Amino acid sequence: MIKTTLQLRTSQNFQLTPQLQQSLKFLQLSSLELEETLNQMVSENPFLTTEELINDEFTQNTSSLENLTQSNNNIPPEDIYSNDAEILDEPRFESDDMKTLYDSFNNTIQQELATDSQWEDYYQGDDSLKDYTEIKNNRLNEEDSDFLDYHNSHMTLYDNLAEQIELSLFSEKEKIIAYHIIDALDEEGYLSLSKDELILGLETEDKYYSFIEDFNSVLLRIQRFDPIGLATWSLKERLLVQLSTKTDCSIKTNAHILLSKYSTQLEKRQFTEIIKLSKLTDSEVKDALKYLASLDPFPAQKFANQQQTISAPDIIVKKRNQHIDISINNQILPKIVLDKQYVKMLQSSKKSSIDHENKTENPLQYLRQAYEEAKNILISIENRHKTLLLIANQIVVFQIDFFEKMDGQLKPMTLKDIASDVDMSESTVSRACQNKTLVCDKGLFELKYFFQSHVKNEDGENVSAEKIKTLIKLWIEEENKAKPLSDSKIESLLNSEGLVVARRTVAKYREQLGFSPSHLRKMI
């Protein structure tokens, strides 16, 4: 028989408050993601506005005042300014509902909600961070702006091709095909759809034209756009396109033979078999290989680098004389402030039963809730800035040699090292460094780049992985191409330097550096 019993239990659990959840969300967003989020919040919350909107309104009011003065030359100046004061004091609303709400609230003034006089003391924008020693969170000055100006001056791969399409003598139908082709390119410039899928997509979008007969000719012309070799389906096809644009010669002919007939052997570096099968001499194969090496397997790479550069850094580190300045890049973030009109409305309002879209909702309660949400958003932004600056400052202190010396190397550093210094959990530090970049005199780096794993040398001292990678890179670049260094040989070389590194670790670092295994690096 089943018995029903009543039991009382107590337990403890940890729950994040909405404010803390929002702060953590803001912390892990990059500047561009935060900008998009804040713009959406400004559009949804009446208590939030931006300094740009305030400046626009001020400009409009100034213009109205000038027009008023010109049209009332015979009116005494004091009357004009008196009338203007009335106009400027009258709030402007985005909808009739909000104006009705304000008019009703203004009938009786009741200080039910105390004036938040301490808010400006609590939220001081960037100036509130000046108490942090060795940290200067200043707005970007002209020098910093020049430092970032180049981000906005580069074309993307799509823009480059679109410009060439417009300059080409394409018919209207050919233009449709051309744009459809470049829309299907991935970051490396390869076509992400098959030929049949591209034609089917064209016929689905525009049934007026027949695209099959013109597709190949348009594709061929785009493949010869600058840079040559885009809009292909494979590396072999890309290099063959580039070869077709070269001046005819015997070396080009031999290179075409190797690429078109022996691409599999080329990939595996089976040069002896290539010589045997192609009936070419050693010198002819060597010359053909050098010719192929002059081609560009990554024509879209420069655009990929520029697209990465366009993404503005989150943190700026500038060396000024003997001092290093660390600042948050606020150039792309909207400058969020409280809208004084709505704050004034809330402070001078009383409970009312005005008709609202939601009949059961108290308008005053809605405004209070929106006001609290607006304050929480500003606090979350402030907390994000403080946390990022603290972590960035500690990273710079820890890796000071890297930032002060052009040949400075990174030291081994873990999340735990930074977390203990800034009195935060490792998860918070990890969240803060996620999708964040730092720009300094040496270039643009992800924050996670500065967290270096390490190995111990014979003396028990920690040696950063970056130093080991530098040695591996140096040895591979200087190796005998006919007898490239194997991972086991590199392991032995590291051991001779007093660095105990396993062969699988060597292989991992080699792959991170972009080097192929030894049998693929072999040259004849």
Side-chain angles (χ1 to χ4, degrees), residues 308-461:
Q308 181 179 6
T309 305
I310 289 173
S311 178
D314 299 273
I315 298 166
I316 300 173
V317 177
K318 296 284 289 183
K319 188 176 180 181
R320 307 181 193 275
N321 300 325
Q322 300 300 318
H323 183 71
I324 294 181
D325 285 348
I326 307 170
S327 60
I328 296 293
N329 180 13
N330 291 318
Q331 192 178 40
I332 63 173
L333 290 180
K335 300 175 180 64
I336 306 295
V337 294
L338 289 175
D339 192 316
K340 293 182 180 180
Q341 293 181 9
Y342 283 94
V343 173
K344 181 180 178 181
M345 180 197 306
L346 183 60
Q347 292 171 347
S348 62
S349 65
K350 71 172 186 176
K351 292 183 179 179
S352 176
S353 57
I354 304 172
D355 289 339
H356 198 268
E357 290 183 4
N358 185 349
K359 299 295 184 180
T360 63
E361 182 182 11
N362 188 316
L364 181 60
Q365 182 180 356
Y366 161 74
L367 291 176
R368 279 175 168 171
Q369 182 179 355
Y371 177 64
E372 290 301 322
E373 290 176 356
K375 288 203 301 182
N376 288 338
I377 290 170
L378 295 178
I379 294 172
S380 296
I381 296 172
E382 182 74 357
N383 289 339
R384 177 185 186 271
H385 288 357
K386 289 181 179 180
T387 303
L388 274 180
L389 277 174
L390 281 174
I391 293 174
N393 181 72
Q394 196 56 39
I395 289 175
V396 172
V397 171
F398 205 103
Q399 305 286 7
I400 191 65
D401 287 344
F402 176 86
F403 292 99
E404 284 191 337
K405 304 173 184 177
M406 289 306 297
D407 58 347
Q409 298 293 322
L410 292 175
K411 297 193 300 184
M413 185 180 74
T414 63
L415 290 172
K416 185 177 180 180
D417 295 328
I418 298 300
S420 60
D421 290 334
V422 298
D423 195 22
M424 296 178 185
S425 66
E426 292 182 40
S427 61
T428 301
V429 175
S430 176
R431 189 177 286 110
C433 295
Q434 184 179 348
N435 301 321
K436 307 295 190 308
T437 54
L438 179 151
V439 67
C440 62
D441 294 339
K442 290 187 176 181
L444 184 69
F445 303 91
E446 293 186 357
L447 280 187
K448 64 182 182 181
Y449 170 77
F450 298 98
F451 293 89
Q452 294 288 326
S453 57
H454 61 272
V455 298
K456 292 186 180 296
N457 60 16
E458 292 178 341
D459 299 328
E461 298 174 343

Side-chain angles (χ1 to χ4, degrees), residues 200 291 339 462:
L200 179 61
Y291 198 86
D339 192 316
N462 291 331

